[in-house]
Amino acid sequence: MKNRPTIGLLYPGYSAEDDYPALEQRLDGAVRLPLVHTSVGEDAHRVDALLDLGSAPRLAEGAKALSQYEPDAVMWACTSGSFVFGWDGAHEQVDGIAAELDVPVSSTSIAFADAIAHLGLTKVAVAASYPEDVATHFVDFMRKGGTDVLTMRSNGIITAAEVGTLGKDAVVSMIHAADVPEAEAVLVPDTAMHSLAWLDDLEEAAGKVVLTANQVTVWKGLDLIGDVPPLDGLGTLFRR
């Protein structure tokens, strides 16, 4: 791994993208996180809109713009725009981006499955911002990857823009509403939701591992190019 690994981010639209430069600043440049906004047809947590959001032409356009940063690895920093394609489709999606850039590529949905495996967990609860029909696609995706989803709580939020306005207390409330004692972790799958400044607080409130979309995105980007360094303030995932 380079002294300053560069993880390129393809991020749809505008909602919680400021999580990433804020983290880069907190880490004093130890990791570079250049970000390109991919185009959005309609900001809606609706399956047809999400299939368009994650379409190959939109991602190829973003990848072309991201190439100027010479990333070591790239993350499609979007959960819903990857899991709606299903397990096989999500992997084909990142393979297409990798063919454009000739670097390792993954996505937030795949990162959730890989983070759970890395931590040796099997039973989780899901605190989803999405409407129930969209959230069910995430549950199906995780189960296809071998995770036992014990419970899922949908919060019915239609737009990424609205999710981006949620503060820490609202996220904690979502986690508590979804959690069950048997769950080893709570998953919070939406890169439109801020979380990177709150991870230790979220885990303290939950009393267990919490995995958020922006957290697993950064972790997987680093994992693609080498051993992930321990980083303070980013939850259990970055301490193990």
Side-chain angles (χ1 to χ4, degrees):
M1 186 185 295
K2 297 178 182 179
N3 290 334
R4 296 185 66 216
T6 299
I7 310 303
L9 303 170
L10 294 172
Y11 188 96
Y14 297 81
S15 46
E17 72 279 0
D18 54 324
D19 249 11
Y20 296 106
L23 175 63
E24 186 175 331
Q25 186 173 10
R26 289 203 310 276
L27 297 176
D28 196 24
V31 177
R32 293 182 63 235
L33 299 170
L35 182 147
V36 165
H37 294 275
T38 58
S39 60
V40 176
E42 181 182 359
D43 179 13
H45 288 143
R46 205 178 60 240
V47 172
D48 63 324
L50 294 168
L51 289 170
D52 175 63
L53 179 80
S55 64
R58 292 191 189 278
L59 296 179
E61 180 184 31
K64 183 177 180 180
L66 192 58
S67 64
Q68 65 182 301
Y69 299 105
E70 300 182 347
D72 300 302
V74 167
M75 291 297 297
W76 167 223
C78 182
T79 328
S80 56
S82 49
F83 67 68
V84 292
F85 288 85
W87 184 264
D88 293 337
H91 285 81
E92 292 170 3
Q93 185 183 55
V94 298
D95 288 346
I97 302 170
E100 292 280 343
L101 292 170
D102 196 28
V103 296
V105 178
S106 190
S107 69
T108 305
S109 294
I110 297 169
F112 269 110
D114 290 348
I116 289 167
H118 171 73
L119 293 172
L121 308 177
T122 56
K123 298 179 180 180
V124 305
V126 172
S129 58
Y130 321 115
E132 187 165 358
D133 64 326
V134 172
T136 298
H137 281 270
F138 179 69
V139 172
D140 292 344
F141 184 92
M142 297 309 302
R143 286 175 173 160
K144 182 71 173 179
T147 300
D148 187 1
V149 180
L150 301 180
T151 182
M152 182 272 286
R153 178 69 176 262
S154 162
N155 285 268
I157 302 175
I158 297 296
T159 69
E162 182 180 351
V163 174
T165 69
L166 298 176
K168 181 172 68 174
D169 290 346
V171 177
V172 168
S173 294
M174 288 174 57
I175 289 169
H176 282 158
D179 194 18
V180 292
E182 299 81 11
E184 300 165 304
V186 180
L187 313 186
V188 189
D190 196 341
T191 58
M193 183 183 296
H194 293 92
S195 68
L196 293 182
W198 310 329
L199 286 161
D200 286 349
D201 293 339
L202 298 181
E203 290 198 330
E204 183 177 0
K208 62 183 63 176
V209 173
V210 172
L211 297 176
T212 74
N214 289 342
Q215 174 200 32
V216 301
T217 297
V218 175
W219 173 83
K220 184 59 187 178
L222 291 167
D223 180 61
L224 287 172
I225 56 176
D227 294 330
V228 179
L231 298 174
D232 292 336
L234 291 176
T236 300
L237 181 60
F238 280 86
R239 290 195 294 269
R240 289 191 191 171

